[in-house]
DNA sequence: TATTATTGTTTTATAGATCAAACAAAGTAG
DNA sequence: CTACTTTGTTTGATCTATAAAACAATAATA
């Protein structure tokens, strides 16, 4: 039970968005997905067709989008990774929540399972060793204040 | 001088591979790129055509591939990010070099400039505070030994 | 040099992601 | 119940990435 199917990044994002919308407002509609993903409605419809063909969602014409069990597995896993990465970026790199989120959107697809696991260990370690974590943050904060213009440079 | 052109991931990888091959063996040929990127020769040729159309490489028929100045800028930047990320994954997450490299290949395209900058700060901070960094590694190593099977689990 | 092997190129095809525009269904006034 | 507005769908394009197969050029060697 390793790789259920090779799902593309865009598809994974779409599944994640469906989950998010379901949680946030009970249901996912094409319009919301279009807004959430920042793509045209027709793009969403095309994507939903592909996802339905892989039995990851169901989609009644002119109706709502739902995740199948298989789709929910992927959506949950992707969502969890997103959260994990966001947390790492905020806690260890002191990125602003918004910036952390934007980066997490892309990073969640780029790490393999082992790397994700390590991030989990890292977060858990930071929780277990709050003073160590605080030392790091303090030192980084000092360094950013010293050398850095706010957040923008290259 | 922010975004020279929106270059796709595959294109960025290709430029990086050209640079690497030039450094490693003086020249980049289609065959090497095909092997390095793990795609068909014809795929490489198609990609080189696109890159040439954007003036990022030059490519003489049946001849060698070279980076233009613009292409070299992208290749160098991408390569530097790759190195940076690999270093972070090895130093802070204690990933094996090979695993770190594989992840860096994908991560290098997924972080924005601000996040890369933070990683640079983090590496530099770790160098400036070796004992802090060592504490972290020691604690993580202990945790991995305690809880974890080698590296594989999910 | 002639033959063979390697390498590079073209052509043809597919699939994903994307948009715009035309169109159709649902929902919301009036 | 019409007319208008919002949503969803289809159709028709484009572009990237990709491969396989046929073909052409280069390189290697006998």
């Amino acid at each position: 039970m390793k790789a259920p199917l090779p799902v593309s990044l865009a598809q994974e994002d779409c599944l994640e968005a469906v989950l998010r919308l379901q949680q946030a407002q009970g249901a996912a509609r094409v319009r919301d997905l279009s807004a959430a993903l920042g793509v045209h409605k027709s793009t969403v419809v095309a994507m939903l067709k592909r996802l339905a063909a892989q039995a990851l969602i169901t989609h009644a014409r002119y109706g709502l989008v739902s995740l199948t069990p298989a789709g929910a597995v992927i959506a949950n896993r992707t969502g969890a990774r997103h959260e994990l990465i966001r947390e790492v970026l905020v806690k260890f790199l002191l990125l602003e929540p918004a910036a952390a989120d934007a980066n997490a959107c892309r990073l969640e697809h780029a790490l393999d399972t082992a790397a994700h696991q390590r991030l989990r260990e890292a977060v858990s370690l930071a929780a277990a060793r709050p003073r160590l974590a605080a030392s790091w943050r303090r030192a980084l904060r000092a360094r950013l204040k010293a050398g850095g213009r706010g957040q923008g440079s290259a």
Side-chain angles (χ1 to χ4, degrees), chain A:
Chain A
M1 204 172 290
K2 218 27 174 323
L5 264 183
V7 175
S8 78
L9 304 202
Q11 288 176 335
E12 228 169 79
D13 278 335
C14 188
L15 292 173
E16 194 187 353
V18 170
L19 176 63
R20 223 174 263 280
L21 287 166
Q22 282 185 339
Q23 289 171 343
Q25 52 193 247
R29 295 189 311 297
V30 169
R31 175 186 132 258
D32 304 303
L33 288 168
S34 172
L37 301 170
V39 298
H40 200 146
K41 308 175 291 168
S42 57
T43 304
V44 171
V45 173
M47 195 128 55
L48 293 179
K49 201 164 296 180
R50 287 189 285 270
L51 289 170
Q54 290 171 92
L56 297 173
I57 60 158
T58 58
H59 175 218
R61 264 172 80 95
Y62 294 98
L64 302 176
V65 181
S66 324
L67 296 167
T68 63
V73 166
I74 295 175
N76 278 302
R77 192 199 52 196
T78 305
R81 288 180 170 188
H82 183 107
E83 291 309 302
L84 171 66
I85 291 164
R86 193 171 48 60
E87 190 176 358
V88 167
L89 295 179
V90 169
K91 285 201 173 155
F92 294 104
L93 295 181
L94 303 177
L95 286 181
E96 304 283 335
D101 212 66
N103 279 282
C105 272
R106 300 185 301 273
L107 289 174
E108 69 196 13
H109 310 291
L111 289 163
D112 64 25
T113 303
H116 277 286
Q117 182 56 29
R118 281 298 163 91
L119 289 183
R120 258 177 232 115
E121 301 281 5
V123 167
S124 142
L125 174 56
R129 300 281 305 270
R131 290 198 287 175
L132 180 54
S135 285
W136 170 263
R137 282 195 291 271
R138 208 178 313 117
L140 182 56
R141 218 175 277 123
R143 168 168 290 258
L144 293 176
K145 178 175 287 186
R149 21 283 161 267
Q151 197 168 172
S153 68

